[in-house]
Amino acid sequence: MDETIQLQAAGLKKKFGAETVLNGIDLDVHKGEVVVVLGPSGCGKSTLLRCMNGLEAPTEGSIRLDGETITSGGRNITKQRQRIGMVFQSYDLFPHKNILDNITLAPVKVQKRSKAEVEQQAEKLLKRVGLWEKRKAYPRELSGGQKQRVAIVRALCMNPEVMLFDEVTAALDPEMVREVLDVMLELAQQGLTMVIVTHEMQFARAIADRIIFLDGGVIVEEAEPEQFFTNPQTQRAKDFLQTFTYEKRKTS
Amino acid sequence: MGFWNQLNTEFMARYLPWYVDAAKLTVTIAFWGILFSLAVGLVCSVIRYYRVPVLHRIVAVYIELSRNTPLLVQLFFLYFGLPKLGIVLSAESCAIIGLTFLGGSYMAESLRSGLESIEKSQIESAQSLGMGQMLMMKEVIFPQALAISVPGVCANMIFLIKETSVVSGIALADLMYVTKDLIGLYYETDEALLMLVIAYLIILLPVSILASILERRLRYAGFGN
């Protein structure tokens, strides 16, 4: 097996009742690679991500992390999830805990690390996203963009090997999208392995090493970003990209 | 003003100790009843929340049985019925067990509504941080659920304290019993009832006030995250 493959989907199928959401996905994510998954809504992007950290159990096929199969509900699942960070669209900070406690909870209670050491790391990360002065605030006192940056820090503080981002800017006002995407760009720069589901096309183009275009539960096209955005090979990708461009309305 | 002027204060002073003793009994029964109700409610709510096989059906039957029969009937069953099966319990034990049987289901439903109001995404974000079931319950689900359940749980407490008045039916000398006794003996109806009302207010008002303070302090959970 290729040593640099960190996260791998092999023959992944997922059905919800009679509906097939993923219909055979093969995807290798290499160490330090940034993979962006694009596709129309309902194409299975989120389900793919959710399978990757065991929130959904595959109907067929498997997800492997460093060659080790991830089994939802298996004995090792909590161990494996510590190695895969995930950030959600709805931030999902814990509303009854302040920012610092939100971040330190899992590293201290799950990973049994010392509180002082975790707080040091949290300080470093919070400063990097410009939110250290908010450490004693509660989530409700923060804007959406700030909450999402905290959610990213919370996941990073577990020192994951891979980070999954599930439409993390979809619920944000346009001016807040930028501050979150900048944090992600910085993480990519540092060589973190990332799988990103997004609808921000320009951002996808800037951050991705590779674009995966998903439609109808299968990978329709897989390409480098420049290639994908300037010269998509499949009609479905062309149609998809078309929906993001507007023609100047004709004035008579 | 006639009512207040005609009150037999000398009678009231003489029988005040009766009310103090009765109030002690009422508070004792209510205290243990509430404490055990909370314990029973907690266990039942968690069983229903996780839909533990078999057990959650038993809990469902218990809740329906408990909520749809009057406390007095439950007490009669414990106090007069069980001895026929060879189980003899003191009146006080019967009162506490009866109150727990009734209160457990009310507490269970209040706590369950709190548990079920926690969004699935909270659970998933806790899972994605590698938390196991127990830790998640303790740190994420339960504190939020409790904050949401507090108004219901407090209302149940007040309800249970008031419901203790039924234990006079199995010859326990609580506030209600003493009052009926005094009315029967001396026909000082106004005085006896006035003291009864005041005694209940003295017990219940602090609980009510404490409950609303608690509610206000825990209101953070009502806001989104």
Side-chain angles (χ1 to χ4, degrees):
Chain A
M1 193 188 105
D2 187 343
E3 283 291 306
T4 66
I5 294 175
Q6 196 148 40
L7 194 63
Q8 182 180 48
L12 185 67
K13 286 189 186 180
K14 178 68 190 175
K15 287 180 186 167
F16 292 108
E19 191 192 357
T20 304
V21 179
L22 295 176
N23 199 6
I25 302 279
D26 291 292
L27 174 64
D28 296 342
V29 181
H30 296 263
K31 207 172 171 62
E33 192 182 19
V34 178
V35 172
V36 173
V37 183
L38 300 177
S41 56
C43 71
K45 308 179 295 271
S46 288
T47 306
L48 174 61
L49 237 55
R50 292 165 60 81
C51 284
M52 283 179 167
N53 80 342
L55 286 177
E56 305 287 354
T59 310
E60 256 178 65
S62 67
I63 298 283
R64 284 191 210 104
L65 176 67
D66 292 328
E68 189 185 316
T69 303
I70 290 179
T71 320
S72 165
R75 282 194 62 213
N76 283 326
I77 185 68
T78 58
K79 280 246 156 46
Q80 290 166 332
R81 280 190 183 129
Q82 294 170 40
R83 298 162 60 195
I84 308 173
M86 183 151 178
V87 184
F88 301 85
Q89 179 180 333
S90 49
Y91 341 118
D92 299 302
L93 300 178
F94 305 130
H96 57 300
K97 292 187 184 290
N98 70 27
I99 299 311
L100 197 57
D101 290 343
N102 257 281
I103 296 167
T104 57
L105 175 65
V108 171
K109 298 271 164 123
V110 178
Q111 294 181 322
K112 311 281 182 210
R113 287 154 61 193
S114 91
K115 191 151 182 167
E117 181 244 329
V118 175
E119 279 183 357
Q120 229 170 19
Q121 189 184 2
E123 177 177 351
K124 216 174 81 198
L125 290 168
L126 275 176
K127 279 181 175 162
R128 223 166 75 192
V129 301
L131 289 171
W132 175 239
E133 70 281 8
K134 297 279 188 193
R135 66 191 174 280
K136 294 287 175 202
Y138 282 84
R140 64 167 184 274
E141 301 169 66
L142 268 54
S143 73
Q146 291 173 328
K147 276 187 268 201
Q148 197 56 291
R149 280 182 282 160
V150 171
I152 293 172
V153 167
R154 184 174 68 172
L156 283 176
C157 224
M158 298 288 285
N159 297 319
E161 295 159 38
V162 184
M163 282 278 279
L164 310 174
F165 294 88
D166 190 9
E167 299 195 34
V168 293
T169 59
L172 296 178
D173 291 338
E175 66 266 36
M176 289 174 185
V177 168
R178 183 73 203 214
E179 62 193 46
V180 172
L181 297 184
D182 281 343
V183 171
M184 291 165 70
L185 278 165
E186 205 187 315
L187 293 174
Q189 216 92 58
Q190 288 168 358
L192 187 68
T193 311
M194 295 158 79
V195 182
I196 301 168
V197 168
T198 186
H199 287 293
E200 303 285 337
M201 291 304 139
Q202 297 211 24
F203 168 70
R205 194 169 175 169
I207 200 170
D209 292 314
R210 188 155 48 117
I211 300 279
I212 302 291
F213 178 67
L214 220 62
D215 194 13
V218 292
I219 295 177
V220 174
E221 190 162 339
E222 187 173 345
E224 298 205 336
E226 284 316 306
Q227 157 92 27
F228 181 79
F229 284 104
T230 53
N231 188 19
Q233 298 298 301
T234 60
Q235 190 56 43
R236 272 194 279 177
K238 280 177 196 163
D239 293 343
F240 174 72
L241 289 171
Q242 199 63 49
T243 61
F244 291 90
T245 56
Y246 294 89
E247 304 254 327
K248 175 82 181 138
R249 109 189 125 84
K250 289 193 183 75
T251 43
S252 52
Chain B
M1 294 315 291
F3 174 79
W4 300 104
N5 292 335
Q6 283 163 25
L7 279 181
N8 183 347
T9 47
E10 191 252 337
F11 170 86
M12 289 170 76
R14 185 159 15 110
Y15 289 102
L16 184 62
W18 286 36
Y19 278 88
V20 173
D21 285 345
K24 279 185 196 158
L25 182 73
T26 293
V27 169
T28 307
I29 290 170
F31 175 81
W32 290 111
I34 287 170
L35 202 70
F36 292 141
S37 293
L38 276 171
V40 169
L42 187 62
V43 172
C44 290
S45 65
V46 171
I47 287 172
R48 286 200 96 181
Y49 179 68
Y50 284 116
R51 303 191 67 80
V52 179
V54 187
L55 282 181
H56 90 265
R57 295 198 185 283
I58 295 173
V59 169
V61 169
Y62 155 65
I63 285 174
E64 290 315 317
L65 191 65
S66 146
R67 287 198 305 186
N68 297 314
T69 50
L71 179 59
L72 190 60
V73 174
Q74 296 168 6
L75 289 177
F76 272 28
F77 176 81
L78 291 167
Y79 191 65
F80 300 114
L82 283 188
K84 301 234 188 296
L85 303 171
I87 304 165
V88 182
L89 297 166
S90 73
E92 236 170 285
S93 308
C94 284
I96 291 169
I97 293 170
L99 208 60
T100 303
F101 185 78
L102 177 75
S105 64
Y106 278 82
M107 293 298 185
E109 289 300 88
S110 293
L111 291 169
R112 184 172 69 105
S113 72
L115 289 174
E116 280 175 1
S117 70
I118 305 306
E119 290 191 36
K120 201 167 161 243
S121 62
Q122 280 281 311
I123 293 161
E124 288 181 346
S125 91
Q127 283 177 330
S128 76
L129 289 165
M131 287 190 210
Q133 204 61 253
M134 288 295 279
L135 184 65
M136 198 193 326
M137 196 58 174
K138 178 169 162 274
E139 295 285 345
V140 178
I141 302 176
F142 203 70
Q144 293 185 62
L146 196 63
I148 289 164
S149 300
V150 156
V153 167
C154 288
N156 289 345
M157 285 186 186
I158 292 166
F159 159 74
L160 288 173
I161 295 172
K162 290 191 287 190
E163 205 65 1
T164 56
S165 59
V166 171
V167 303
S168 60
I170 54 169
L172 271 171
D174 78 321
L175 289 165
M176 196 65 210
Y177 185 91
V178 165
T179 306
K180 282 193 282 191
D181 221 18
L182 286 176
I183 293 172
L185 285 170
Y186 304 107
Y187 296 110
E188 300 278 10
T189 313
D190 293 348
E191 288 78 1
L193 286 176
L194 183 65
M195 285 168 88
L196 175 67
V197 170
I198 290 171
Y200 270 118
L201 284 178
I202 289 173
I203 295 171
L204 282 161
L205 275 179
V207 178
S208 277
I209 292 165
L210 224 68
S212 42
I213 292 172
L214 201 62
E215 261 174 57
R216 221 172 306 136
R217 294 193 58 176
L218 289 171
R219 204 167 282 168
Y220 59 76
F223 298 96
N225 65 66

